[in-house]
Amino acid sequence: MLDVTWWGGGPGARQRRRRPGLDELPWGPIAGPEERLREARAVWTHAAFLEYASAAAFAALARALLEAAAPIDLVADVADIVVDELDHVETTARLVMALGGAVPVAFDLAEVAPRSQLSPALSDPRSRAVELAIVTSCVGESLSVPTLARARDTADEPLVHAVLRRLLADEPNHARIGFEILDWAAAALSPSQREALAAVAVTALRDHAALWLAPACAACPPPVGLGGLDEATRAELRHAARAKVVEPLVRRGIVLDEGALRAIAV
């Protein structure tokens, strides 16, 4: 069970100082047709869990960077992103309540952070940190930017628009930090490690490919305030996968297999 609670006191006051403005959003119950509200509750319940999982992933990345003796400003930036993601958890959870409450979601918190897929022969602290950076930041966060931007631009509910604007303000830095970690680490990676990390990146892209490969449902109403994944959004995501993920990785010596990319329309 994921219990999104607020302890208050000193921790709460410090969090509000570090991430101000949440209470100023136009909070209040959101009305609308029940079918659209029901779908919106499912979308945003899932979003709250994904934000929690992102916090866990960036926490694991911060630990990996510490174990790799990475520059402390890189580590500090990643650790600060954990706080961003927890702010996003609260924000999305409050939106879920404004929509009428959460829907059931099955998960195992013991498996919430990504695990390394590198073989022991290729795994060292630096390569593990790069692997987490690729999966969590270079792929996951880079693809979230166009998704959130499209949702923000099509939002017709003021609270949803404000929530999306708050989330999107942090996402470019979350996507950028992974490539900055690669800039630090790339020179020390062996050819075999680069090849293995390229395969990791392909797998991560494949895990997201349903966003642009799943057929559109012309008869399905989009949830409240969200424009849905229309064909323009799908094309934008495919473009982002190539321009914002594949090409920057190639420039840093992580060359993804073109055949595997074609199979997922990237």
Side-chain angles (χ1 to χ4, degrees):
M1 177 180 181
L2 180 57
D3 186 12
V4 181
T5 58
W6 189 258
W7 179 258
R14 288 189 292 273
Q15 173 67 0
R16 283 292 180 263
R17 286 197 298 272
R18 295 182 66 187
R19 299 297 188 278
L22 180 58
D23 291 332
E24 282 68 57
L25 269 58
W27 296 108
I30 296 175
E34 179 55 31
E35 182 180 7
R36 299 184 77 210
L37 288 171
R38 185 166 54 248
E39 186 175 354
R41 285 194 291 268
V43 167
W44 284 102
T45 300
H46 185 62
F49 174 72
L50 289 179
E51 298 291 354
Y52 193 88
S54 292
F58 277 107
L61 175 55
R63 175 177 176 173
L65 289 168
L66 286 167
E67 292 174 351
I72 59 172
D73 52 345
L74 275 179
V75 183
D77 204 7
V78 171
D80 199 48
I81 289 172
V82 178
V83 184
D84 287 346
E85 299 292 8
L86 291 171
D87 178 80
H88 295 181
V89 172
E90 183 190 3
T91 304
T92 52
R94 287 178 66 169
L95 177 55
V96 169
M97 299 310 296
L99 287 161
V103 302
V105 177
F107 55 84
D108 181 356
L109 287 181
E111 302 294 329
V112 70
R115 295 181 181 273
S116 177
Q117 302 301 310
L118 296 177
S119 69
L122 298 175
S123 182
D124 58 39
R126 187 177 296 242
S127 63
R128 287 196 299 272
V130 172
E131 179 186 18
L132 285 168
I134 288 174
V135 172
T136 302
S137 175
C138 301
V139 176
E141 298 291 328
S142 293
L143 293 177
S144 77
V145 172
T147 304
L148 290 173
R150 172 63 178 168
R152 177 203 58 196
D153 292 344
T154 57
D156 55 16
E157 158 52 51
L159 176 56
V160 175
H161 187 277
V163 165
L164 286 162
R165 189 173 63 246
R166 184 177 178 89
L167 301 182
L168 190 58
D170 293 326
E171 294 304 297
N173 184 54
H174 296 185
R176 182 169 51 245
I177 191 65
F179 295 106
E180 291 170 338
I181 290 167
L182 263 173
D183 290 337
W184 159 71
L189 298 172
S190 70
S192 295
Q193 287 174 322
R194 291 172 187 270
E195 183 178 354
L197 290 166
V200 165
V202 169
T203 298
L205 282 168
R206 188 180 297 122
D207 290 342
H208 287 81
L211 290 170
W212 58 84
L213 290 178
C217 175
C220 298
V224 169
L226 296 179
L229 286 178
D230 57 17
E231 278 307 310
T233 309
R234 293 164 193 271
E236 187 173 350
L237 282 167
R238 286 193 295 270
H239 172 75
R242 172 64 64 171
K244 303 298 185 181
V245 180
V246 175
E247 292 173 1
L249 287 175
V250 169
R251 290 196 295 271
R252 292 164 173 84
I254 309 297
V255 181
L256 282 62
D257 180 78
E258 284 295 332
L261 294 175
R262 284 194 297 274
I264 56 173
V266 172

